[in-house]
Amino acid sequence: MTYENILTERRDDGVGIVRLNRPKQYNALNGALMRELTDALLEHDADPAIRCHLITGDDRAFAAGADIKEMAELSAVEMFQRDTISLWDKLTRLKKPLIAAVSGFCLGGGMELAMACDMIVASETAKFGQPEVTIGVIPGAGGTQRLPRAIGKALAMEMILNNRSLSATEAAQFGLVNRVYPIEAYFNEALKLAAEIAARAPLAVQAAKEAINKALETPLSEGIAYERRAFYFLFATEDQKEGMAAFVGKRDPKWQGK
């Protein structure tokens, strides 16, 4: 499929890459880009050859926010009818891990997109912020919900209510970012992480991702019950038999995703 606002790549190591490609607009997230992004990720998610997703922007900006020009004159009813934000819900339904490689501006909707991913690898130049109050609104694509879960209530309040931003180092310190690298290395390091995950048992990785997400959404007892069922279910897979046989036989496993 041909896209106008993103670039896609399928790699032999099992990583599917989606690159935001509106450089003149600092990869601002308009409706067209979000539709293309979700379509591409869902297509990759359905491809058994792809086992891990990686999304990125460019060195200047992962995404500087939503496209304000697109929405500035819209009414509440028009925003409700367009409901572009519902596209974001599709990201949470991806079965395979989703990693964000972030450099430069990661603000507003861009930060919400990064937080919708499972992991974030950042360059030293990355700047994270939720500046929506400066234009009279609030985060609308999960920022007020995901940010407190990631960094705690107090700091989330300061960022959302008073436009505090975080450097890449601060973001790592507060648990928002997994790893920070020099700008010339961050993308390759994110790709390396994605390839490592793609090389692991696919069904186990997907089950583990879903179980971890349950931990953020359910009481502990329900999460434990879900984890246990997933654990037992994996004993019905060929990969479990292969993985344990390889361990006993002291050899590398050959995963089939079955």
Side-chain angles (χ1 to χ4, degrees), residues 70-83 137:
E70 185 179 62
M71 67 177 74
E73 300 300 324
L74 296 180
S75 68
V77 171
E78 288 171 325
M79 286 293 291
F80 176 77
Q81 289 175 333
R82 289 191 178 195
D83 196 23
V137 292

Side-chain angles (χ1 to χ4, degrees), residues 50-138:
I50 292 178
R51 296 179 175 179
C52 189
H53 304 285
L54 178 63
I55 63 173
T56 191
D58 55 46
D59 289 350
R60 292 193 312 160
F62 176 73
D67 192 329
I68 304 304
K69 291 182 179 179
E70 185 179 62
M71 67 177 74
E73 300 300 324
L74 296 180
S75 68
V77 171
E78 288 171 325
M79 286 293 291
F80 176 77
Q81 289 175 333
R82 289 191 178 195
D83 196 23
T84 304
I85 294 176
S86 65
L87 292 169
W88 297 65
D89 298 338
K90 296 180 180 181
L91 302 180
T92 66
R93 294 197 289 270
L94 294 173
K95 294 181 179 180
K96 300 166 186 177
L98 177 59
I99 298 172
V102 175
S103 183
F105 296 115
C106 186
L107 306 175
M111 183 170 175
E112 290 174 300
L113 176 58
M115 288 193 295
C117 297
D118 300 308
M119 287 166 273
I120 302 174
V121 175
S123 86
E124 293 173 337
T125 69
K127 179 181 179 181
F128 297 87
Q130 298 283 176
E132 285 86 349
V133 294
T134 66
I135 56 171
V137 292
I138 67 171

Side-chain angles (χ1 to χ4, degrees), residues 28 30 63 79 100 103 123 133 144 163 174 191 196 210 221 225 241 243:
N30 62 5
M79 286 293 291
S103 183
S123 86
V133 294
T144 65
N163 193 27
F174 293 119
L191 189 57
E196 289 173 350
E210 190 166 357
S221 59
K241 300 298 184 290

Side-chain angles (χ1 to χ4, degrees), residues 212-234:
I212 292 168
N213 284 331
K214 289 290 184 184
L216 301 175
E217 300 170 357
T218 61
L220 178 60
S221 59
E222 290 183 24
I224 291 291
Y226 180 88
E227 175 192 81
R228 193 166 299 156
R229 288 193 298 271
F231 173 73
Y232 292 148
F233 164 77
L234 288 169

